[in-house]
Amino acid sequence: MNQISNRLLKSFSLRSTPTRKEILHLFLKKDHALSHSDIESEIADDIDRVTVYRTLKTFTDRGLIHKVLDDGGGLKYALCTEACSATRHRHNHVHFKCTNCGQTNCLNVDIPGVRLPEGYIPKEVNLLIQGICQNCSL
Ligand SMILES: [Zn+2]
Ligand SMILES: [Zn+2]
Ligand SMILES: [Zn+2]
């Protein structure tokens, strides 16, 4: 895990700091999207809120993680699985929120194309499907 995170940070031109490594480990360890409070409850107590915010922003800006819009306007973050970079996030996948366990996952399913009326210019598309996840339904 240590090597993976070091390599990841390096490939995104990020200096390896204990906080960055710890937060990255958490994303590598969990297979679902994480909210601020999920992260805060899992990492060492001596890492303050502001540092967590700053780290998540840096990771998002660099293309290491992406925002996952949750229901009720909440925000979570998940690792980018495709070739994202500081200049562009490249994904168009569906997010799934389980109403049973509360976890939100990135699905390997593309958001279908939506035809908009003339004059509407889409900049960002988010699709959150709510229901029962694989872990809970099988
Ligand atoms: Zn991305
Ligand atoms: Zn579930
Ligand atoms: Zn995602």
Side-chain angles (χ1 to χ4, degrees):
M1 195 91 94
N2 218 11
Q3 274 179 343
I4 301 174
S5 58
N6 274 336
R7 192 155 22 92
L8 261 176
L9 288 171
K10 207 171 160 200
S11 68
F12 283 87
S13 319
L14 286 164
R15 210 160 34 83
S16 174
T17 67
T19 306
R20 284 176 179 169
K21 267 164 70 172
E22 188 163 353
I23 294 179
L24 192 53
H25 280 175
L26 204 56
F27 279 106
L28 291 166
K29 203 165 66 181
K30 308 276 180 183
D31 58 353
H32 55 89
L34 300 169
S35 66
H36 273 278
S37 53
D38 292 337
I39 295 164
E40 277 166 23
S41 66
E42 297 259 6
I43 55 170
D45 288 338
D46 60 339
I47 304 174
D48 63 82
R49 242 161 195 273
V50 180
T51 313
V52 175
Y53 269 87
R54 219 179 285 140
T55 306
L56 290 174
K57 181 163 190 325
T58 306
F59 282 0
T60 310
D61 289 348
R62 292 298 177 97
L64 202 52
I65 59 173
H66 62 281
K67 289 179 180 174
V68 177
L69 297 182
D70 214 20
D71 65 322
L75 191 58
K76 291 183 175 180
Y77 296 87
L79 276 182
C80 290
T81 48
E82 290 139 81
C84 290
S85 68
T87 43
R88 206 163 101 91
H89 279 276
R90 276 172 249 257
H91 32 79
N92 180 38
H93 59 263
V94 169
H95 289 131
F96 192 96
K97 159 108 181 197
C98 178
T99 51
N100 187 48
C101 65
Q103 290 187 356
T104 309
N105 282 90
C106 298
L107 295 189
N108 196 13
V109 174
D110 278 352
I111 296 175
V114 177
R115 205 186 290 254
L116 296 176
E118 210 190 314
Y120 287 86
I121 303 160
K123 289 273 163 81
E124 207 186 298
V125 182
N126 295 293
L127 178 57
L128 180 72
I129 300 178
Q130 300 189 61
I132 308 295
C133 80
Q134 209 169 41
N135 283 340
C136 296
S137 73
L138 294 178

